[in-house]
Amino acid sequence: MELNDRAELDTSQVNDLGRGGGSGRGMPIPLPTGRGGLVSLVITVLVALVGGGIGLNAATNGDGAGGEDLEQSCSRDNPDRFGNVKCRNLLYVNSIQDYWKQEYPAISGRQYEPTDTNYFGQAVSTGCGTADSGVGPFYCPADKQVYIDLSFYDELASRFGADGEFAAPYVLAHEYGHHIQNLLGTNERAGQGDQTGPESASVRLELQADCYAGAWARHATESKDKSGQEALFTSITESDIKEAVETAEAIGDDTIQQRSGGGINPDQFTHGTSEQRQRWFRQGYDRGDPQVCDTFGTGRL
């Protein structure tokens, strides 16, 4: 994976909230049991649709420490900007949203509605409630925004062995897959089905988001920067795609349950098995078309 040093990044798509980011109050985001909060969650299902589960400790606004000036840090004038994890992730967000700006009208007949990604540390207040860093990356349908504590990538590497560079853009593309589902109304319809289990609506939502991430990855080198003139990625290799597939494998329900020391209980699945997550990501990547990501219309998940 090579990033284009000449690309002009659109910093308006990311908010660096710093420690204890966000404002306002809300109920803690409920989490499913037995997951440790270390993988991205179907917040749309667990919060907006069914609730319940284990609540997080209520977040505070911390010490009010502000975020970084991304306009300056991620400027083309800074030759070291891609050594900064915030600038790299800003580029990923720009690429994902440029892809959906082009692709979303074809699958919906409507213009894409861009949304922000919020960097936070320790705790954050969202339209879905308050959350701490343990929740992992998530999408909140109430405010239509993505949230991530970037230290999650360290945990992903150290605890799950997913340490490839392409793990990060895969994670963000997956969360933006949930945004697409929200815009299409898929989340609301899925709320009428079971929320856990191997055939559940929750699993179908997650696998579809993996497939959407694969479709983006196929076209990522076509995405353009803020000026519309420069590519954001100069190359993405099969090795990069392998890293994304390995990340999908590392955070499958069955793999996480085994790693936690317990047996595999399909009735508690919310994201899909490692094999399923890899296969649906590859399907999106191999076909390069989000319309092949209909996990709700297939009998084989």
Side-chain angles (χ1 to χ4, degrees):
M1 176 176 69
E2 295 183 7
L3 311 182
N4 186 356
D5 290 332
R6 299 186 302 275
E8 180 182 356
L9 303 186
D10 184 356
T11 59
S12 70
Q13 296 183 11
V14 166
N15 303 308
D16 187 5
L17 304 179
R19 296 177 59 194
S23 61
R25 298 181 179 181
M27 294 298 292
I29 295 176
L31 300 180
T33 59
R35 299 302 301 274
L38 295 175
V39 297
S40 84
L41 301 169
V42 189
I43 297 298
T44 53
V45 173
L46 299 177
V47 180
L49 302 179
V50 298
I54 298 176
L56 292 171
N57 294 328
T60 67
N61 282 337
D63 61 6
E68 188 172 339
D69 182 353
L70 298 180
E71 190 73 38
Q72 179 176 349
S73 299
C74 303
S75 167
R76 283 186 296 188
D77 295 332
N78 179 5
D80 301 319
R81 60 176 173 164
F82 291 135
N84 183 335
V85 64
K86 294 179 180 180
C87 297
R88 294 197 305 274
N89 279 264
L90 170 60
L91 181 144
Y92 306 152
V93 169
N94 285 180
S95 174
I96 294 162
Q97 296 218 87
D98 186 65
Y99 167 74
W100 285 114
K101 179 181 177 182
Q102 309 305 321
E103 193 63 35
Y104 185 75
I107 65 174
S108 68
R110 302 188 300 272
Q111 294 301 306
Y112 173 64
E113 298 176 31
T115 194
D116 292 347
T117 286
N118 298 282
Y119 300 157
F120 73 95
Q122 296 186 338
V124 67
S125 180
T126 81
C128 295
T130 54
D132 64 23
S133 296
V135 74
F138 65 93
Y139 172 77
C140 171
D143 57 28
K144 298 182 179 179
Q145 295 190 25
V146 174
Y147 295 84
I148 184 170
D149 182 334
L150 295 174
S151 66
F152 169 78
Y153 298 134
D154 296 331
E155 193 126 35
L156 192 62
S158 63
R159 298 194 63 172
F160 293 95
D163 56 358
E165 284 187 79
F166 210 74
Y170 158 68
V171 165
L172 286 170
H174 175 98
E175 296 308 333
Y176 272 90
H178 289 314
H179 179 53
I180 297 302
Q181 291 167 332
N182 198 29
L183 296 180
L184 290 172
T186 310
N187 296 332
E188 185 176 358
R189 294 191 296 273
Q192 307 306 311
D194 294 335
Q195 303 308 312
T196 61
E199 301 285 330
S200 65
S202 174
V203 166
R204 293 178 188 274
L205 281 171
E206 288 293 340
L207 295 179
Q208 185 176 64
D210 282 335
C211 186
Y212 284 161
W216 160 76
R218 184 71 181 189
H219 298 282
T221 54
E222 302 166 19
S223 57
K224 300 299 183 182
D225 71 349
K226 183 179 179 180
S227 72
Q229 302 301 312
E230 292 283 349
L232 289 161
F233 290 92
T234 55
S235 71
I236 290 176
T237 67
E238 186 59 35
S239 177
D240 297 319
I241 300 307
K242 182 181 178 182
E243 290 175 354
V245 171
E246 289 173 348
T247 302
E249 177 184 17
I251 56 178
D253 282 319
D254 53 342
T255 298
I256 290 177
Q257 287 180 355
Q258 281 186 315
R259 188 179 287 113
S260 68
I264 297 175
N265 182 1
D267 289 339
Q268 296 300 313
F269 285 179
T270 57
H271 285 63
T273 67
S274 293
E275 185 277 330
Q276 288 172 321
R277 300 199 69 171
Q278 293 176 87
R279 175 161 45 83
W280 279 99
F281 175 86
R282 287 275 356 179
Q283 176 156 315
Y285 179 76
D286 290 342
R287 300 284 293 277
D289 181 357
Q291 297 191 78
V292 304
C293 298
D294 184 10
T295 55
F296 289 88
T298 180
R300 180 179 179 248
L301 285 179

